[in-house]
Amino acid sequence: MPLLPIVKYPNDILRRKAQDVTVFDDKLQQLIDDMFETMRKAPGVGLAAPQVNVPLRLTVIEYGEQEDDSDEPVKLQQYVLINPEITRFSPETEVAAEGCLSMPGLVGDVERSLSVTVRAQNRRGQPVKLKAEGWLARIFQHEIDHLNGVMYVDKADNLRSLDEDAETDAN
Ligand code: ZN
C-alpha cells in the first residue's frame, strides 16, 4: 500500500469544501487503507482526504486512551468517517494545544466542545452515529473542519513553534 504525500498549507485544496462520497467501490477502500498507513507513518491521529489532495468528505482517525492503573498497551481504535456531520456540540468546552500534519512544527490553543455527536457513513456506506468525548471529540472536530476548508489556526490562540511548546511543557 503506497504512502500518500501530505498536502501542506497554504495549498488551496485545504481551503475548499470537500464533496460528498457517493461511490463506495474498491478504489475508495484502497484510499482509506492508504490514508491509515500515511497517517501512522506521519505520525498522526487523524487525516482528512483533502490533506492527501482528494477533495472528498472522508477522514480516518486512530486513537486510544490508556486506562487508569493499567499496564496493558493502549488499544487503538480506528474510525472511518464518511460524509460526517456533527449533530450535537456540547456547550461545555475545553482549551488545549493542537497541531496539524499540514502545518508541521506549529501548535496553538483551540477551544473545542468537550463532547460531540457525529452522524456519518462507514467504509461500506452504512449509516453510523458516534458519540465522542475529550481528545477523541477534539480530533473529530479538527478533522471534520478540514472537510469544510477550516484549519485549526483559524480558531487558535497563542500559535507557536513546537520547540517553544516543548519548553513550556518542561516547565
Ligand atoms: Zn489537520
Side-chain angles (χ1 to χ4, degrees), residues 31-51:
L31 172 63
I32 291 166
D33 292 341
D34 291 347
M35 283 176 64
F36 269 115
E37 196 183 349
T38 302
M39 176 190 70
R40 286 175 190 135
K41 186 81 198 299
V45 291
L47 188 66
Q51 291 182 279

Side-chain angles (χ1 to χ4, degrees), residues 63-77:
Y63 180 70
E65 266 175 37
Q66 187 82 48
E67 303 261 333
D68 288 344
D69 306 324
S70 169
D71 295 329
E72 301 282 310
V74 177
K75 267 206 201 85
L76 293 176
Q77 176 84 42

Side-chain angles (χ1 to χ4, degrees), residues 96-99 106-110 138 152-153 156-160 165:
E98 251 173 64
L106 267 188
V107 289
D109 299 326
V110 187
R138 178 171 294 275
Y152 84 96
V153 289
D157 288 322
N158 190 21
L159 271 179
R160 55 205 184 269
D165 199 56

Side-chain angles (χ1 to χ4, degrees), residues 14 46-48 51 98-103 142-143 146 150-152:
L14 295 170
L47 188 66
Q51 291 182 279
E98 251 173 64
C100 181
L101 294 177
S102 293
M103 303 182 100
H142 178 114
E143 298 307 329
H146 271 303
V150 175
M151 303 286 292
Y152 84 96

